[in-house]
């Protein structure tokens, strides 16, 4: 089944889970699309089975809190940042709920965490104005970059380069093998005083970069030339909430939730809005991602919703 405008417009909430007492601040699908893990401001991690469509188990990180959670390539392991006590990143085995390793270094809140799509390296960006490069096998930082401002960062789909959005006004591209030599490309964008960049993602085909903000606009850049191809607005975000925007796995569409519980979908190539979906969420949709392998997506406020298409085009 192929994603088309009609299929996207047909998506409806199939299941809603009320496992959390506070907002879900992040979630991540595992690479085979069979599971999803969420982190919440209530200090819990909830593991869901996507095929059975139900929560499997709940773990707690009461002491350190839990934010920005990412699956690693090893089965049943995650890395996540903390939102209490310190800014250490933790590597957790879900199997026995034990920490495998700690990654200390940042001294302010971690705002970006991106796992390499090809190996055990990952990068983190922080309000301390640094990006750090890590290897899951070592607690020591493998690389450190001091920046002029707050970063958002992500690996490209091939794991060869990473992009850093800095100070909400420029995007720098680095070669992973020689990032200490500085960026090989820098794209300067028009600065928007009304909002800050809160996320950066590549499309799966590597051709586009999506910049999300805590305001009412998203931007798509050409990942090679840095030109702004489209700006998307028209969704509600009056309170400066960090709303996650995502590409669909085929790189054809961009989607974002809003503070009124609706999901807006645009065609990434034409820039046309193709769908407005009502998730009946009770609060702002802070997290939104399409399943990497199956025709379903998830959205979250303090509740988690799984969506399915109601037609097969």
């Amino acid at each position: 089944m192929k994603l088309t405008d009609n299929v996207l417009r047909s998506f409806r909430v199939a299941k809603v889970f009320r496992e959390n007492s506070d907002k879900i601040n992040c979630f991540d699908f595992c690479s085979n699309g069979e599971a999803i893990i969420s982190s919440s401001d209530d200090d819990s991690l909830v593991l869901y089975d996507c095929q059975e469509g139900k929560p499997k188990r709940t773990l707690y990180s009461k002491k350190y809190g839990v934010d920005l959670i990412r699956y690693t390539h090893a089965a049943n392991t995650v890395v996540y940042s903390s939102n209490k006590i310190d800014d250490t990143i933790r590597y957790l085995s879900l199997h026995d709920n034990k920490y495998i390793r700690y990654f200390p270094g940042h001294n302010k809140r971690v705002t970006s965490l991106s796992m390499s799509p090809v190996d055990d390296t990952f990068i983190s960006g922080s309000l301390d104005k640094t990006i750090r490069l890590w290897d899951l096998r070592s607690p020591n930082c493998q690389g450190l970059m001091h920046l002029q401002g707050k970063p958002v960062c992500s690996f490209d789909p091939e794991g060869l380069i990473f992009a850093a959005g800095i100070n909400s006004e420029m995007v720098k591209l680095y070669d992973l093998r020689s990032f200490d030599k500085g960026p090989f490309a820098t794209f300067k964008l028009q600065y928007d005083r009304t909002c800050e960049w809160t996320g950066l993602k590549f499309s799966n085909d590597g051709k586009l970069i999506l910049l999300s903000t805590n305001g009412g606009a998203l931007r798509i850049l050409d990942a090679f030339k840095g030109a702004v191809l489209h700006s998307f607005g028209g969704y509600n975000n009056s309170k400066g909430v960090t709303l996650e925007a995502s590409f669909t796995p085929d790189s054809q569409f961009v989607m974002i939730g809003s503070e009124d519980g609706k999901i807006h979908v645009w065609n990434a190539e034409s820039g046309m809005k193709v769908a407005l979906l009502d998730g009946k969420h009770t609060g702002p949709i802070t997290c939104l991602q399409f399943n990497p392998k199956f025709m379903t997506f998830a959205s979250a406020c303090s509740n988690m919703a799984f969506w399915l298409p109601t037609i097969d085009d």
Side-chain angles (χ1 to χ4, degrees):
M1 186 170 162
K2 199 165 162 291
L3 258 188
T4 62
D5 294 8
N6 280 341
V7 170
L8 270 166
R9 281 193 278 268
S10 83
F11 269 87
R12 299 292 180 268
V13 174
K15 283 200 169 161
V16 177
F17 306 101
R18 296 176 177 85
E19 304 296 304
N20 296 99
S21 59
D22 206 335
K23 90 165 186 199
I24 293 169
N25 52 39
C26 188
F27 64 64
D28 195 36
F29 282 101
C30 63
S31 56
N32 63 12
E34 290 173 10
I36 186 171
I37 192 160
S38 68
S39 55
S40 165
D41 287 356
D42 65 11
D43 305 333
S44 72
L45 298 78
V46 183
L47 187 61
Y48 297 86
D49 184 316
C50 294
Q51 289 174 306
E52 292 180 25
K54 62 182 189 195
K56 270 292 219 262
R57 51 194 289 233
T58 301
L59 306 172
Y60 291 95
S61 179
K62 289 280 188 205
K63 186 174 175 186
Y64 303 107
V66 54
D67 200 357
L68 298 184
I69 193 158
R70 303 282 181 260
Y71 274 104
T72 70
H73 300 293
N76 269 327
T77 60
V78 292
V79 286
Y80 67 82
S81 62
S82 322
N83 53 16
K84 291 202 257 188
I85 297 196
D86 64 18
D87 302 286
T88 296
I89 296 163
R90 291 175 170 78
Y91 182 22
L92 178 72
S93 163
L94 300 173
H95 170 66
D96 50 9
N97 196 19
K98 288 200 166 65
Y99 293 117
I100 303 167
R101 200 159 281 116
Y102 302 96
F103 304 98
H106 287 300
N107 55 33
K108 285 190 177 164
R109 192 165 67 84
V110 175
T111 51
S112 276
L113 197 56
S114 177
M115 195 75 215
S116 162
V118 294
D119 61 24
D120 282 338
T121 52
F122 66 97
I123 51 174
S124 57
S126 160
L127 295 181
D128 64 17
K129 298 184 183 173
T130 65
I131 289 176
R132 288 176 179 265
L133 177 70
W134 310 89
D135 187 307
L136 284 174
R137 295 161 294 194
S138 164
N140 304 320
C141 177
Q142 306 293 302
L144 173 62
M145 294 161 50
H146 291 276
L147 307 163
Q148 300 317 125
K150 294 186 288 195
V152 286
C153 56
S154 176
F155 278 101
D156 82 317
E158 263 138 27
L160 298 173
I161 68 166
F162 62 89
I166 299 161
N167 245 3
S168 304
E169 60 181 347
M170 64 179 81
V171 175
K172 293 176 182 274
L173 302 183
Y174 296 86
D175 186 314
L176 195 60
R177 290 156 303 195
S178 57
F179 70 89
D180 48 336
K181 295 188 174 67
F184 65 84
T186 299
F187 310 137
K188 195 138 178 25
L189 277 68
Q190 199 174 343
Y191 183 61
D192 180 352
R193 274 198 306 276
T194 62
C195 60
E196 291 184 345
W197 296 354
T198 52
L200 182 154
K201 291 183 182 181
F202 279 89
S203 56
N204 275 348
D205 63 9
K207 293 176 181 170
L208 304 171
I209 291 173
L210 174 61
L211 289 168
S212 44
T213 71
N214 61 1
L218 303 171
R219 286 186 219 169
I220 295 187
L221 312 186
D222 179 314
F224 299 102
K225 302 191 183 103
V228 176
L229 302 176
H230 298 292
S231 286
F232 299 128
Y235 56 91
N236 289 352
N237 188 17
S238 61
K239 297 186 179 74
V241 179
T242 296
L243 302 173
E244 182 179 24
S246 291
F247 286 104
T248 52
D250 60 6
S251 308
Q252 300 301 306
F253 300 94
V254 169
M255 50 205 306
I256 192 171
S258 61
E259 67 183 3
D260 57 8
K262 294 192 170 56
I263 290 171
H264 299 250
V265 187
W266 295 269
N267 183 302
E269 192 176 3
S270 70
M272 299 291 288
K273 183 172 273 192
V274 296
L276 179 62
L277 306 168
D278 191 354
K280 309 258 188 318
H281 278 282
T282 53
I285 300 176
T286 44
C287 307
L288 175 68
Q289 282 176 39
F290 217 95
N291 187 303
K293 293 285 187 264
F294 300 103
M295 191 59 83
T296 171
F297 68 84
S299 60
C301 54
S302 56
N303 301 334
M304 171 78 83
F306 286 4
W307 298 68
L308 290 169
T310 50
I311 60 165
D312 32 323
D313 207 12

